[in-house]
Amino acid sequence: MKAGILDHANLVQASEFIAGMNSLRQCHIGYLGTSQNDILHSLEEMNSDAESAAFIVWKDGAIAGFLGVDADLNKGTAELWGPFVQEFEFMRLLWEKALHYFEGNLHSYFLFADTANHTAAEFALSNGFKPQSAQTYMELKGNPSNELRDISLLPPRCHSEFIHLHDTLFPHTYYSGKEIIGRLNDEHKVYTSGDADGLNGYLYAEYNRDEKEGSIEFIGVKFCKRKKGIGRKLLDMAVHDLFVNAGAASIKLCVGTTNQKALSLYKKAGFKVERSLSFYKLYIWE
């Protein structure tokens, strides 16, 4: 048995190993898909990212353990891709290598695992991770409506208003309003709803052209404008644009399991529950 850093020569073998494990509920990690091609693409991106790294364990000439660290050194945070292990003892070895590699550069680690992944839960709790929330992963395949819809995108004049609304509704989340503005392009869009009072709601979605997959990241509606159908209007607008104009084959999202209003909204729009996931966070004190 030996451990090392994943390099370009091991990408295909690693993607095959991960795909085999991530297709099983008891091994599933939410940051990665189940298709070997999609996983290989993600590993290629990680391998070319100077900030991130992945670690593997070899046993009898084959990969027997994997842990990826998708890091943002500017924020000091990282998402864990794994651990995927054939033997429980490999987790400790992989985690020690990751902590040593990023020592002093990261203060927060996030883990997003299927509720049936008891190995990940034991890893998290034994290493000081704290449970944060339960999440429901949902997916919509195929456009449920061919009805033509007007698409309203965020205009530059409303950027400041959007930033204020987003940061008010979602403080301390993974993308601030300013960061979303910086990401806007043909595949990252903010759909909006407004009236004489200004911006009253928005939806931020991303599209992966290679995978033909859309993702709903945020839906936000002003407190005083709720219960008026704005959320459903925004969702229908984004779904139509992603399926009809962008050519998506599916759209995914994650929502808090206890958020019954949001779950009802997505179910009425045709989204189906695919997985239940647990979110863990580790904060390392300096």
Side-chain angles (χ1 to χ4, degrees):
M1 180 186 70
K2 64 178 181 177
I5 296 178
L6 180 73
D7 60 27
H8 186 75
N10 307 133
L11 294 182
V12 173
Q13 191 172 356
S15 67
E16 182 179 6
F17 173 75
I18 295 168
M21 300 199 75
N22 214 38
S23 61
L24 305 173
R25 282 196 65 207
Q26 64 268 29
C27 300
H28 186 80
I29 296 295
Y31 292 123
L32 291 168
T34 56
S35 161
Q36 183 180 348
N37 286 337
D38 293 346
I39 293 171
L40 177 59
H41 180 69
S42 296
L43 292 181
E44 288 172 339
E45 289 186 337
M46 173 176 277
N47 192 60
S48 63
D49 180 4
E51 296 190 350
S52 303
F55 309 88
I56 50 178
V57 172
W58 294 89
K59 184 177 181 181
D60 300 327
I63 294 177
F66 173 92
L67 177 63
V69 183
D70 186 16
D72 184 331
L73 299 185
N74 185 50
K75 292 183 177 179
T77 63
E79 299 170 354
L80 293 185
W81 296 3
F84 298 103
V85 293
Q86 290 181 345
E87 298 179 26
F88 194 83
E89 64 181 87
F90 296 162
M91 289 196 301
R92 178 186 56 80
L93 179 59
L94 290 166
W95 183 229
E96 287 178 352
K97 283 194 168 293
L99 287 177
H100 178 73
Y101 185 91
F102 289 100
E103 186 175 6
N105 292 311
L106 297 175
H107 58 72
S108 296
Y109 290 87
F110 308 124
L111 176 61
F112 202 41
D114 195 291
T115 54
N117 190 340
H118 302 304
T119 299
E122 185 172 347
F123 162 80
L125 297 178
S126 64
N127 285 286
F129 285 74
K130 303 296 183 184
Q132 300 296 304
S133 61
Q135 300 286 321
T136 297
Y137 171 81
M138 307 181 77
E139 190 169 5
L140 179 63
K141 297 179 180 178
N143 188 15
S145 171
N146 292 319
E147 181 182 349
L148 182 64
R149 298 186 183 277
D150 293 328
I151 306 300
S152 176
L153 298 178
L154 181 69
R157 69 176 185 278
C158 294
H159 282 186
S160 295
E161 189 178 5
F162 163 76
I163 291 171
H164 176 73
L165 178 58
H166 176 76
D167 292 347
T168 299
L169 297 177
F170 299 100
H172 313 299
T173 190
Y174 56 96
Y175 289 143
S176 68
K178 185 177 180 180
E179 287 174 321
I180 290 176
I181 294 298
R183 294 176 63 82
L184 294 181
N185 57 31
D186 290 341
E187 297 181 357
H188 300 160
K189 298 179 180 180
V190 173
Y191 304 87
T192 61
S193 172
D195 55 24
D197 296 327
L199 184 67
N200 56 38
Y202 71 92
L203 184 152
Y204 173 58
E206 298 186 350
Y207 179 58
N208 186 317
R209 193 169 301 278
D210 292 333
E211 299 177 14
K212 294 185 179 298
E213 182 180 79
S215 62
I216 307 297
E217 301 293 329
F218 296 100
I219 298 182
V221 178
K222 282 183 177 179
F223 293 107
C224 62
K225 299 290 184 178
R226 293 180 178 179
K227 298 184 179 180
K228 299 179 183 295
I230 294 172
R232 180 58 190 266
K233 173 185 174 182
L234 290 164
L235 185 60
D236 288 345
M237 186 190 304
V239 165
H240 177 83
D241 191 40
L242 286 166
F243 277 128
V244 177
N245 299 329
S250 65
I251 302 172
K252 65 180 182 179
L253 59 84
C254 266
V255 60
T257 302
T258 60
N259 191 343
Q260 292 301 316
K261 289 183 178 179
L263 284 169
S264 177
L265 170 68
Y266 298 134
K267 287 178 180 178
K268 288 178 180 177
F271 283 81
K272 305 296 184 183
V273 174
E274 295 291 327
R275 294 183 184 277
S276 296
L277 302 152
S278 297
F279 177 49
Y280 302 90
K281 180 179 178 180
L282 172 66
Y283 182 77
I284 298 177
W285 296 93
E286 297 295 340

